Amino acid sequence: MSVPTNAPIVIIGGGIIGCSTLYHLAHKNVQAVLVERKQLASGTTWHAAGIVGQLRESGSQTELAKHTARLFKELEEETGQATGYKQNGTMHLALSDVRMEQLLRSHDHAERMDIESQLLSAEQAAMRWPWVDYAGVKGGFLVPSNGQVNPLDVTQALAKGAKQKGAQIVENTEVLKILTTNGKVTGVRTDAGDIATTKVLLAGGMWASRFAKAHGVTVPLHAAEHFYIVTEPVKDLPRDLPGLVVLEERTYWKEDAGKLLIGGFEARGKAWGEAGISDSFEFDELPFDMDHVEPVLETIYARMPALADMGIKTFFNGPESFTPDGKPYIGPAPEMPGLFIAAGMNSNGILNSGGVGLTMAEWMTEDMPRRGMGSLQTSRAMPYQSNAAYNAERVTESVGLHWGLHWPGRQIETARGIRRVPLHEHFEKAGAKFAERYGWEVPMYFDPQNEGWPKRASIGWQDWSKQVASEAMAAQQSAVILDQSMYAKILVAGPDAVTALNHICGAQIDVDVGTSVYTQMLNQRGGIEADVTITRIAPTRFMLVTGHPSQIRDQHWIQCHADPSWDFELIDMTSAYSLMTLHGPKSREILQAISGDDLSNGAFGFGQAIEIDIAYARCWAIRRSFLGELGFELLLPTEFTAHVYDELRRVGDPLGLQHMGMFAMNACRLEKGFRHFGHDIAEEDTPYETGLGFAVDLNKPEFVGRQPLFTQRNNYKAATPDRMIMISVVGLTQKNGPYLIHNETIWKDEKLVGYVTSGGWGHRVNAMIGLATMHRDQGVDKAWIDEGGFSVKIAGQYYEVRAQLAPLYDPKGERMRA
């Protein structure tokens, strides 16, 4: 088949994601070209279960899932192509108190997102789905507007809708290579000729990782086998039967043309295609591994004894691709300007398809999507994650991460120990309990008894809460030490370094050497793309410190928004420098004991950075604290870290120095109202809406996002309609009350006025606390907040809330400036 010589955009891959993006581009009058190696939907799309759900982890992602449901509903009428879409709903069952609480919270979240949902007793659930055994069922949760679709048909409908608007699809044609000039996309080479283009979308499903790696691009995913069974026709089976999910048993059930399709996701899956995928793969099935899937089948038959008399028509096994963290990769590829990624749907390709297609069409034509994609961005991928052995090992667990009970203590078990902070072994001896974050072994809390991670699932009081409380109180009363070396350290150096940073940051970066600036990188709408500190360590050298998930993302953002003529470079110093931090009222005394430099408040004030002697080493010390206590961040060459740690322990232990993990640090930052990028603030939020206006200098010359921020400040001089505040819940105790976590709704005068972005127990203020985003058309001002009358809905119950703009702990910041 011939290919065009040029196209505005080329899409690689004809699964439902590629076809949806083509459709949405066509509806934006962009006549893109899609190239598929075989036939449309012939990879993994065709055998998907086709369940369509809407509730996702964030408001933005839920809105995109709602778009998918609307699209499927309207697509058949638009194109005349049948899609098999039925809005028959989905029903979840809970087998434990923890899962029931999660369903209650989902019901509250659905209310905020304007999605109808119903809570059901076991008896009510049985009336809708009488074929399963309800022994042990605590209750159910029904979303009537969810549904199911025929994946092959809906893909064809999207393709037809795209072609009706002028898009072109080329099947049975293989893309051999992405063509580049000076690293930027200039075209694609196919086995039928070259296509010139400046933008390419890689939507190659389980082929995407190896293809990307061959081009120096990281897209971490791997195929795994996925199993389901289809019964013989079931007499009197309703065609509008809701889809059924029993998450704790890792199973799903749906009506399928008068039969039942029943599948599951094992706790440990089975990797497939480690040696690559055959060129001839097309609508292929894999051998059904009865031994591997037998435990899941036993669970299914135990839940539905009637299956024994129904008969099984099909034992199906087909591949699906999964990512290391269970989230898709979408957005620009940092390594290759002009290349975009939409892959790794984790068996959610159908329900993600409409929203992802819309998002990618916006990204490739408007430079950014209209909704924040947060933790789904391709730029979160780390270079090491292109390792094939890593992905093959992790995918066995990613299958289980996709389905099953999620709670804060659920730990990754595969591919562990990859990235270790310099003090890993020292902390391990001290009883550190590590969690995996982007390959890092991150110390979460310390247990002197050295017991293992708790196995008791809980979304409230945890088995480690006592240790976390001890660490938080030590920060208030004496001192704590953390190893935050997993944080990314990016050196921005060169004559135009200050120009580049001032262009993308809200704050003034042209400061004296030895000054640390807290700021946000902004997008063209004034939204927050990064939350960082930048320290000027020389006239032309700046050290940027950011969260570990943003190690690649922030470098990519700077590169994309800097003028190519500017003379500067980015050097990733994450591995070269450790970040050891010391906090608490005795931290100065401890640090001064091993340094000959003057560390008094007069000589070394808050926000300053100085290069000091420390024991027998030299390091940059920065006066900052994410805990809200007197604090010092020590940026020192990695090889000196153990020595400095030993010396700090030698002088600090007699003064009450303790170790601290990330759980306690998070509890402390919450009391101070310090925003967490990705939880409290993200691409859709501006500094003025999130209480960070102090970090914006509108007197600077033009910078990214300045004009919308200038307009927002002028239009809302009193208060913006959306504003982040602090809340504390009245009457809850640490052990017995439900916890604020995320997405709990805030009410006033029986009206929904906000939602919690992050929450938990504040050990220093002895209360259940949280950060919340509030909305009021007239502006969220202090007078309205001080009126009170707020309540928060947690798992279906209302609790009185006290709200304020100031932090709950040390509101004037006197402790950290001491």
Side-chain angles (χ1 to χ4, degrees):
M1 182 177 291
S2 63
V3 298
T5 58
N6 60 80
I9 295 173
V10 174
I11 298 172
I12 303 173
I16 194 166
I17 299 298
C19 288
S20 175
T21 305
L22 187 74
Y23 170 89
H24 284 91
L25 284 168
H27 281 68
K28 291 171 70 67
N29 297 315
V30 178
Q31 296 179 353
V33 174
L34 183 150
V35 183
E36 163 56 42
R37 56 183 289 277
K38 294 294 184 181
Q39 297 179 63
L40 296 183
S42 62
T44 63
T45 294
W46 71 275
H47 62 71
I51 298 173
V52 181
Q54 297 173 85
L55 285 174
R56 316 302 287 164
E57 67 178 21
S58 72
S60 294
Q61 292 173 37
T62 299
E63 288 294 346
L64 290 173
K66 290 171 67 176
H67 170 76
T68 300
R70 289 193 300 269
L71 176 64
F72 288 171
K73 190 175 181 180
E74 300 164 358
L75 197 57
E76 186 169 334
E77 180 179 347
E78 175 191 342
T79 65
Q81 166 72 46
T83 63
Y85 182 65
K86 296 191 299 183
Q87 203 170 50
N88 52 344
T90 55
M91 185 172 75
H92 289 249
L93 300 182
L95 306 181
S96 66
D97 291 338
V98 171
R99 181 58 182 156
M100 194 65 229
E101 182 178 341
Q102 290 178 337
L103 295 185
L104 290 169
R105 290 170 178 267
S106 293
H107 184 53
D108 295 344
H109 181 44
E111 185 176 28
R112 177 170 83 88
M113 299 309 301
D114 197 25
I115 296 174
E116 180 192 354
S117 64
Q118 302 169 22
L119 293 170
L120 307 173
S121 66
E123 292 75 20
Q124 291 170 324
M127 293 175 64
R128 288 172 168 80
W129 239 99
W131 292 272
V132 298
D133 183 356
Y134 283 84
V137 173
K138 301 281 185 177
F141 172 66
L142 177 69
V143 181
S145 59
N146 287 345
Q148 61 189 61
V149 71
N150 184 304
L152 191 57
D153 288 344
V154 78
T155 304
Q156 293 293 343
L158 288 166
K160 184 175 181 180
K163 288 190 288 186
Q164 287 174 343
K165 293 285 187 178
Q168 186 173 347
I169 296 175
V170 183
E171 295 182 276
N172 297 303
T173 301
E174 184 177 1
V175 175
L176 305 173
K177 183 180 181 181
I178 299 174
L179 305 176
T180 61
T181 300
N182 296 325
K184 297 181 179 179
V185 169
T186 56
V188 297
R189 176 155 295 158
T190 78
D191 56 8
D194 292 354
I195 308 174
T197 188
T198 57
K199 293 180 181 178
V200 171
L201 172 66
L202 177 57
M206 61 185 177
W207 288 270
S209 184
R210 289 178 183 269
F211 184 82
K213 186 177 181 180
H215 291 79
V217 174
T218 301
V219 183
L221 57 83
H222 201 286
E225 300 184 19
H226 178 54
F227 308 83
Y228 60 72
I229 59 175
V230 182
T231 68
E232 297 287 352
V234 179
K235 184 179 180 181
D236 298 325
L237 186 70
R239 295 302 178 95
D240 61 352
L241 186 71
L244 180 68
V245 175
V246 188
L247 201 67
E248 291 145 303
E249 294 182 340
R250 302 178 175 278
T251 58
Y252 63 88
W253 320 59
K254 57 164 279 193
E255 186 274 337
D256 187 71
K259 304 178 285 293
L260 283 175
L261 185 153
I262 309 167
F265 293 89
E266 320 91 287
R268 283 296 174 88
K270 186 179 179 183
W272 181 78
E274 294 97 319
I277 303 170
S278 170
D279 290 340
S280 63
F281 190 98
E282 182 181 17
F283 296 112
D284 284 11
E285 295 185 33
L286 306 178
F288 195 89
D289 188 339
M290 187 64 74
D291 290 338
H292 175 77
V293 81
E294 184 177 9
V296 177
L297 290 177
E298 288 177 349
T299 299
I300 290 171
Y301 273 84
R303 183 56 58 189
M304 188 175 178
L307 272 177
D309 300 321
M310 289 182 179
I312 306 301
K313 180 180 181 180
T314 303
F315 290 88
F316 181 83
N317 181 14
E320 295 273 9
S321 61
F322 294 84
T323 65
D325 60 3
K327 299 176 182 179
Y329 286 98
I330 59 177
E335 304 92 335
M336 185 183 291
L339 176 63
F340 294 78
I341 309 295
M345 297 297 134
N346 299 278
S347 201
N348 279 337
I350 304 302
L351 66 87
N352 282 337
S353 59
V356 169
L358 174 65
T359 298
M360 297 315 303
E362 292 171 349
W363 225 321
M364 290 188 286
T365 59
E366 303 173 27
D367 291 332
M368 64 180 296
R370 298 181 186 180
R371 295 178 180 84
M373 288 297 99
S375 62
L376 306 186
Q377 292 202 32
T378 300
S379 55
R380 78 183 187 277
M382 301 294 166
Y384 83 90
Q385 291 182 304
S386 65
N387 183 291
Y390 162 82
N391 284 296
E393 170 71 13
R394 175 56 62 82
V395 75
T396 63
E397 190 173 9
S398 294
V399 173
L401 291 174
H402 173 66
W403 226 239
L405 189 64
H406 287 260
W407 60 289
R410 183 179 178 183
Q411 290 303 305
I412 296 291
E413 297 176 354
T414 54
R416 290 294 298 266
I418 302 173
R419 308 172 80 186
R420 304 182 187 189
V421 294
L423 297 177
H424 179 89
E425 291 185 2
H426 295 78
F427 280 14
E428 193 170 37
K429 291 177 181 177
K433 299 303 161 194
F434 297 94
E436 189 266 3
R437 300 289 186 270
Y438 292 88
W440 287 105
E441 294 296 318
V442 178
M444 302 305 293
Y445 72 99
F446 287 78
D447 179 11
Q449 303 303 316
N450 226 4
E451 297 180 2
W453 269 100
K455 300 297 184 182
R456 181 184 66 88
S458 173
I459 51 177
W461 167 267
Q462 301 285 358
D463 292 340
W464 60 73
S465 294
K466 184 177 180 181
Q467 288 91 332
V468 171
S470 173
E471 294 169 18
M473 298 312 295
Q476 182 186 51
Q477 297 167 4
S478 52
V480 293
I481 188 169
L482 296 85
D483 190 343
Q484 295 175 250
S485 300
M486 75 290 297
Y487 281 39
K489 283 83 66 177
I490 311 300
L491 181 64
V492 187
D496 293 323
V498 67
T499 302
L501 290 173
N502 250 341
H503 178 65
I504 61 166
C505 294
Q508 175 59 257
I509 308 300
D510 193 1
V511 294
D512 292 338
V513 173
T515 303
S516 174
V517 179
Y518 169 64
T519 187
Q520 291 78 41
M521 295 186 195
L522 304 172
N523 58 43
Q524 50 264 49
R525 296 175 191 154
I528 299 170
E529 292 288 341
D531 190 58
V532 302
T533 59
I534 299 175
T535 302
R536 194 169 200 169
I537 59 176
T540 60
R541 293 164 66 87
F542 297 79
M543 188 65 78
L544 183 152
V545 178
T546 186
H548 50 288
S550 299
Q551 182 175 349
I552 304 300
R553 172 179 172 153
D554 288 0
Q555 295 178 71
H556 179 231
W557 191 259
I558 296 172
Q559 290 167 336
C560 286
H561 292 83
D563 189 312
S565 68
W566 290 340
D567 184 7
F568 76 98
E569 60 181 334
L570 302 177
I571 307 171
D572 194 330
M573 307 295 284
T574 304
S575 299
Y577 284 88
S578 67
L579 183 63
M580 187 160 44
T581 66
L582 193 67
H583 311 262
K586 295 184 180 179
S587 59
R588 179 184 285 119
E589 181 181 355
I590 293 169
L591 193 60
Q592 187 70 80
I594 58 171
S595 177
D597 293 282
D598 184 357
L599 305 182
S600 67
N601 199 41
F604 190 11
F606 183 79
Q608 283 186 268
I610 58 175
E611 198 169 12
I612 65 172
D613 291 339
I614 181 167
Y616 298 140
R618 292 278 288 169
C619 81
W620 276 96
I622 305 166
R623 270 290 307 275
R624 290 205 172 273
S625 174
F626 202 44
L627 279 64
E629 302 287 351
L630 171 65
F632 301 85
E633 298 179 350
L634 307 177
L635 193 67
L636 67 160
T638 302
E639 66 268 27
F640 293 101
T641 307
H643 161 67
V644 171
Y645 167 78
D646 288 340
E647 289 300 294
L648 288 172
R649 288 290 309 275
R650 179 180 63 80
V651 299
D653 284 2
L655 297 174
L657 178 65
Q658 286 192 35
H659 294 92
M660 175 180 272
M662 295 298 109
F663 282 149
M665 187 188 80
N666 184 63
C668 290
R669 73 92 188 169
L670 197 57
E671 292 171 309
K672 281 294 296 178
F674 290 151
R675 280 58 166 159
H676 184 289
F677 183 72
H679 283 92
D680 306 307
I681 55 177
E683 305 96 315
E684 295 175 289
D685 307 305
T686 73
Y688 293 125
E689 294 166 345
T690 53
L692 300 175
F694 65 88
V696 176
D697 183 359
L698 290 176
N699 294 318
K700 288 197 309 178
E702 188 62 33
F703 59 89
V704 176
R706 182 184 182 279
Q707 188 55 50
L709 290 181
F710 182 84
T711 301
Q712 187 177 59
R713 190 191 66 173
N714 284 350
N715 288 349
Y716 302 107
K717 291 182 179 179
T720 54
D722 296 286
R723 184 70 161 83
M724 184 161 284
I725 67 167
M726 293 288 316
I727 62 170
S728 62
V729 187
V730 177
L732 292 185
T733 64
Q734 186 180 8
K735 287 191 175 182
N736 299 324
Y739 273 43
L740 293 179
I741 302 173
H742 182 66
N743 280 333
E744 294 87 358
T745 51
I746 310 292
W747 299 77
K748 182 174 181 174
D749 299 328
E750 299 183 351
K751 293 181 180 179
L752 179 61
V753 294
Y755 65 96
V756 175
T757 58
S758 59
W761 187 260
H763 301 280
R764 294 176 300 184
V765 299
N766 197 35
M768 187 67 64
I769 63 174
L771 282 162
T773 290
M774 310 292 276
H775 177 83
R776 179 174 176 251
D777 291 341
Q778 303 94 314
V780 178
D781 57 21
K782 188 175 185 300
W784 181 70
I785 293 169
D786 289 346
E787 286 175 2
F790 297 99
S791 62
V792 62
K793 196 175 185 183
I794 313 176
Q797 298 295 318
Y798 290 93
Y799 299 87
E800 181 185 350
V801 157
R802 295 192 183 103
Q804 62 188 64
L805 286 170
L808 293 167
Y809 182 75
D810 188 27
K812 295 182 179 180
E814 295 170 336
R815 295 181 67 89
M816 63 183 183
R817 290 176 169 81

